[in-house]
Amino acid sequence: SSGINAEYGGFDVVAVDNETRAQLARVLPEGVQARGPKVSKYTIDLNSFEQNALPLINHSGSDVTIIVIDEIGKMELFSHRFKAQVMKLFESDLVFLLCTVPVYSIPFVNSLKSRADVDVIEVTRENRDSLADSLLDVLMKKISN
């Protein structure tokens, strides 16, 4: 999950259980040289992201599991290892993914959204309060098939 860290002016990787929190991207102070890719005013810390996010989305067991990824966006996709891990998860019969993606076009995200085994649900003002129940219904149907 990406969380906004207003104190530092950036985004964090945050585990659902809140045990892991690490930098994804920051606004660097004036005069500090950026070492890493940039999206708008944010410099991405690929090393921190990969060290902390990739273990959270690793599935090597034989049990069915649900993995939540918030979000698969521009910043995250600078990591080739992240993209490879996401593709591995999408190919697994034991993993059910719940992901958020931007509405704007990103080729990698578009390829995921166009898969026959993917349901795309747009979050709107009208459905956002009931979305948790709808998503749970969709996941339970997928798991029981």
Side-chain angles (χ1 to χ4, degrees):
S1 172
S2 297
I4 297 175
N5 186 330
E7 180 182 344
Y8 296 107
F11 296 88
D12 288 344
V13 171
V14 181
V16 172
D17 65 8
N18 224 12
E19 292 292 316
T20 300
R21 181 177 209 105
Q23 287 189 49
L24 169 59
R26 292 287 182 268
V27 176
L28 298 179
E30 283 291 321
V32 174
Q33 181 66 36
R35 292 188 187 172
K38 288 189 76 162
V39 172
S40 183
K41 62 184 178 180
Y42 300 99
T43 300
I44 297 140
D45 186 339
L46 279 179
N47 190 42
S48 172
F49 174 69
E50 290 179 345
Q51 283 183 352
N52 293 285
L54 295 182
L56 296 173
I57 63 169
N58 184 37
H59 182 264
S60 56
S62 59
D63 294 331
V64 171
T65 191
I66 297 171
I67 295 178
V68 178
I69 303 175
D70 176 23
E71 91 182 82
I72 302 173
K74 281 183 185 179
M75 290 183 189
E76 296 81 5
L77 292 176
F78 276 103
S79 168
H80 299 293
R81 291 176 56 204
F82 175 76
K83 285 168 60 170
Q85 182 65 29
V86 167
M87 285 309 302
K88 183 178 171 188
L89 294 172
F90 267 86
E91 296 302 326
S92 173
D93 292 334
L94 297 174
V95 176
F96 293 88
L97 291 163
L98 176 60
C99 306
T100 62
V101 296
V103 294
Y104 54 83
S105 181
I106 299 175
F108 180 79
V109 172
N110 295 347
S111 70
L112 297 177
K113 288 168 38 177
S114 67
R115 292 173 54 107
D117 58 349
V118 168
D119 292 318
V120 177
I121 302 169
E122 185 175 353
V123 179
T124 64
R125 269 203 177 110
E126 292 76 29
N127 73 2
R128 68 182 176 193
D129 293 333
S130 62
L131 202 53
D133 291 335
S134 301
L135 293 173
L136 185 58
D137 289 344
V138 169
L139 283 170
M140 294 310 290
K141 285 176 187 166
K142 295 242 181 223
I143 291 170
S144 64
N145 285 340

